[in-house]
């Protein structure tokens, strides 16, 4: 046996040997965090600090005024801010839950079932992964119009439910589950549905959490459906409203800066919260306990 | 009596149906339509007229901007950001797996956080930092330090725009590919390592090449495909930073911007569709390389 003790993955406690990793990770993390920290400080700056010269990174007299302005401001057509926020929250919740269910089911079939066209479907899915959304905007618009979805709440949801990247990732994870495990369950009398719920889902939790995070970001940050498919102001989403604040037309004025700073923070924080909730799943190491 | 296991096996189509329905409706049909459109002249108002391969021929032979600026820009950008971001995310995931859980969680959160600030918020931050007058953070800092005598128009100068785009994209590239790799590294069975040491692995480099990477091939492939797709699709960044499409002297113009320029500014939809098909082919070729490296051999 060689003297090399090997790398200690997923250590349970701190040891001096980890210092070399930290020496590299911590400075990098601080550097990467700077713009994020800036988003936080910026949102609480009063108007004179937003335009101060020389520019300041930190805030001296934090104020909630930007948020108050943001929430009391109604846009030109009289729709209150809270309405956009409500729309975004509802749409995002529905899309994340349905995307996860739909992609995991499809991933199970594509990974563990044998049938004609299995290869072809996965190949087409992989190809679709590479198509630029901007390229299909026009045909997509015509199709959505044809389906009668223009100006409906559903138009925020339906086009986002099939996520090629999600299916791709889940299938990759399910491939790692040994077939023997499923056969054993089948011998014990488990039905397909039971196998899916009791074995597949718990074992691919890291993948599920990853696509939940991804789909959350896609929906929450998406402005496409609001700007292209919805004319009714009351049906638009928060991210769309936010993009109007930072657009060159409005963003240049003095009041707009404060609103945009506050809105950036509101856009960012839910992403952060979702990640914090789901990260333990992403980083969990459960898979082996089921497989061993 | 034993039950026949087959009776309780549902058809794969039952599991696939919801996905297939949405996938076909909102992805396959529009993509097919876009491919058809690429063989037409279409100005978004009149009915498309069939013109065969003219769009493609025009793109390759007549579109000087495309050949001289867009293509080199896109390849430079993709070849730096793609492999760069990919290698960086593997190294970070690997290093993070070796610190205790609590510390790892905090660090992973920070490293992942830039990719959450997608779109608008990101443009807000970076345009202020790289702002062209003396109120920009970078200019202000460099002026105070005496490195510069007068402010630089960072985002309007062809010399710097591409570098800033690469920098900002790398900064935000630790996304889901990175998360998948992190869960991949953590999920490697420790017994495989022990077996490896018995078989004579005697340094870290060998360990990574012979154990870590092969054991997480699916995640490595996912990360690679995400890196390829992400970098070729990242187009918004140059336009968001410089505030104009086309970007100043086409310095930061990527294929996606060119496509949007023709599609939504000049309304030459057929031509734009042809650009998107070319983009698809380029992305596909690069992804094939990723499959070669990390795909399972069937």
């Amino acid at each position: 046996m060689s003297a090399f003790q090997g790398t200690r993955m997923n250590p349970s406690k701190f040891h001096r040997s980890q210092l070399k990793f930290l020496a590299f990770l911590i400075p990098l993390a601080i550097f990467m965090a700077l713009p994020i920290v800036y988003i936080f400080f910026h949102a609480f700056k009063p108007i004179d600090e937003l335009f101060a010269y020389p520019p300041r990174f930190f805030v001296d007299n934090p104020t909630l005024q930007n948020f108050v302005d943001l929430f009391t401001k109604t846009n030109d057509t009289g729709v209150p801010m809270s309405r956009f926020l409500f729309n975004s929250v509802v749409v995002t919740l529905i899309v994340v839950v349905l995307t996860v269910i739909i992609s995991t089911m499809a991933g199970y079939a594509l990974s563990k079932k044998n049938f004609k066209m299995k290869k072809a479907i996965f190949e087409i899915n992989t190809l679709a992964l590479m198509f630029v959304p901007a390229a299909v905007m026009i045909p997509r618009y015509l199709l959505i119009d044809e389906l009668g979805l223009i100006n409906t709440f559903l138009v925020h949801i339906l086009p986002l439910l099939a996520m090629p990247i999600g299916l791709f990732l889940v299938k990759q994870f399910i491939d790692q589950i040994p077939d023997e495990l499923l056969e054993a369950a089948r011998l014990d009398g488990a039905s397909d549905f039971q196998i899916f719920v009791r074995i597949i889902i718990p074992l691919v939790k890291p993948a599920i959490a990853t696509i939940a995070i991804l789909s959350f970001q896609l929906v929450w940050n998406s402005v496409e459906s609001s700007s292209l498919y919805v004319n009714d102001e009351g049906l638009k989403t928060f991210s769309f409203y936010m993009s109007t604040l930072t657009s060159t037309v409005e963003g240049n004025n003095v009041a707009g800066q404060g609103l945009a700073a506050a809105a950036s923070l509101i856009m960012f924080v839910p992403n952060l919260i979702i990640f914090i909730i789901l990260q333990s799943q992403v980083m969990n190491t459960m898979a082996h306990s089921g497989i061993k | 009596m034993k039950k026949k296991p087959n009776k309780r096996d549902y058809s794969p189509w039952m599991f696939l149906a919801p996905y297939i329905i949405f996938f076909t409706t909102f992805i396959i049909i529009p993509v097919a339509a876009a491919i058809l459109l690429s063989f037409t002249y279409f100005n978004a108002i009149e009915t498309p007229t069939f013109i065969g391969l003219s769009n493609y021929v025009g793109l390759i032979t007549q579109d000087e901007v495309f050949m001289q600026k867009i293509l080199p820009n896109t390849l430079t950008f993709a070849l730096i950001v793609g492999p760069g971001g990919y290698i960086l995310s593997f190294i970070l995931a690997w290093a993070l797996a070796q610190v205790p859980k609590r510390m790892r969680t905090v660090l992973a959160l920070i490293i992942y956080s830039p990719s959450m600030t997608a779109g608008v918020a990101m443009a807000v931050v970076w345009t202020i930092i790289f702002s062209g007058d003396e109120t920009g953070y970078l200019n202000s800092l460099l002026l105070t330090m005496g490195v510069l005598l007068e402010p630089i128009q960072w985002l309007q100068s062809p010399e710097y725009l591409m570098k800033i785009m690469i920098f900002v994209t790398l900064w935000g590239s630790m996304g889901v590919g990175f998360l998948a790799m992190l869960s991949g590294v953590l999920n490697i069975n420790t017994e495989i390592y022990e077996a490896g040491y018995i078989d004579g692995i005697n340094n870290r480099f060998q360990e990574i090449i012979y154990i870590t990477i092969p054991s997480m091939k699916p995640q490595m492939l996912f990360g690679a495909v995400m890196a390829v797709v992400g970098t070729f699709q990242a187009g918004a960044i140059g336009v968001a930073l410089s505030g104009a499409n086309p970007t100043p002297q086409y310095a930061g113009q990527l294929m996606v911007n060119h496509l949007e320029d023709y599609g939504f500014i000049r309304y030459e939809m057929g031509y734009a569709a042809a650009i998107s098909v070319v983009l698809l082919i380029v992305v596909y070729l690069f992804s094939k390389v990723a499959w070669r490296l990390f795909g399972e051999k069937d």
Side-chain angles (χ1 to χ4, degrees), chain A residues 36-37 39-40 216 220-221 238 262-274, chain B residues 109 112-118 121:
Chain A
I36 309 292
V37 176
I39 292 179
F40 274 89
F216 179 88
W220 181 254
N221 295 329
F238 184 73
S264 318
L265 185 61
I266 297 181
M267 281 299 293
F268 174 66
V269 165
N271 286 304
L272 199 67
I273 295 171
I274 292 294
Chain B
L109 172 66
Y112 178 72
S113 62
S115 72
M116 296 184 226
T117 59

Side-chain angles (χ1 to χ4, degrees), chain B residues 36-284:
Chain B
L36 289 179
L37 274 183
S38 73
F39 299 108
T40 65
Y41 173 80
F42 182 38
N43 58 12
I45 302 162
E46 297 162 57
T47 331
T49 44
F50 182 77
I51 53 165
L53 286 171
S54 310
N55 285 327
Y56 293 97
V57 175
L59 184 65
I60 293 165
T61 58
Q62 280 156 28
D63 192 337
E64 282 175 17
V65 171
F66 181 75
M67 293 311 274
Q68 286 174 8
K69 300 278 184 183
I70 315 282
L71 210 53
N73 279 351
T74 309
L75 289 177
T76 315
F77 182 80
L79 288 176
I80 298 177
V81 171
Y86 182 66
I87 293 167
L88 197 59
S89 43
F90 174 74
I91 294 174
L92 288 177
W94 178 78
L96 276 173
Q98 298 176 57
V99 299
K101 193 166 187 191
R102 193 157 300 186
M103 225 182 286
R104 175 165 70 229
T105 307
V106 175
L107 289 171
L109 172 66
I110 296 171
I111 289 169
Y112 178 72
S113 62
S115 72
M116 296 184 226
T117 59
V120 221
M122 189 143 114
V124 173
V125 176
W126 293 106
T127 45
I128 295 173
I129 291 174
F130 290 112
S131 173
D133 51 24
E134 70 272 14
T135 63
Y137 284 66
L138 186 61
N139 273 333
S140 169
L141 183 74
L142 294 176
L143 287 169
T144 328
M145 284 163 55
V147 180
L148 290 181
L149 291 176
E150 49 187 65
I152 291 181
Q153 292 276 341
W154 298 107
L155 299 172
Q156 303 306 322
S157 111
E159 199 185 331
Y160 295 109
L161 182 60
M162 180 58 102
K163 288 172 190 144
I164 294 173
M165 282 164 61
I166 290 173
F167 173 77
V168 172
T169 314
L170 273 179
W171 171 79
S173 67
M174 301 301 120
V176 279
F178 161 72
L179 289 186
M181 282 196 219
L182 186 55
S183 75
V185 181
L186 290 171
N187 273 317
I188 297 170
N189 197 329
T190 43
E191 284 166 13
I192 302 177
Y193 284 109
E194 278 151 29
Y197 308 140
I198 294 169
D199 287 346
I201 280 179
N202 52 25
N203 64 46
R204 255 206 183 88
F205 183 71
Q206 284 184 346
E207 182 189 273
I208 291 174
I209 298 292
Y210 294 115
I211 300 179
T212 313
I213 292 178
S215 309
M216 52 182 282
K217 268 195 172 179
Q219 287 85 5
M220 294 296 282
L221 175 62
F222 176 75
V225 172
M226 286 297 291
V228 173
V229 174
T231 43
F232 280 101
Q233 293 192 354
I237 184 75
V239 171
L241 286 173
S242 67
N245 187 1
T247 51
Q249 295 179 37
Y250 290 100
Q253 200 78 349
L254 304 178
M255 272 171 92
V256 176
N257 308 122
H258 200 52
L259 189 161
E260 281 170 356
D261 183 10
Y262 275 94
F264 306 109
I265 297 172
R266 307 184 201 202
Y267 287 105
E268 291 190 33
M269 292 296 167
Y271 195 68
I275 300 172
S276 69
V277 173
V278 172
L279 181 57
L280 174 68
I281 294 169
V282 174
V283 177
Y284 182 74

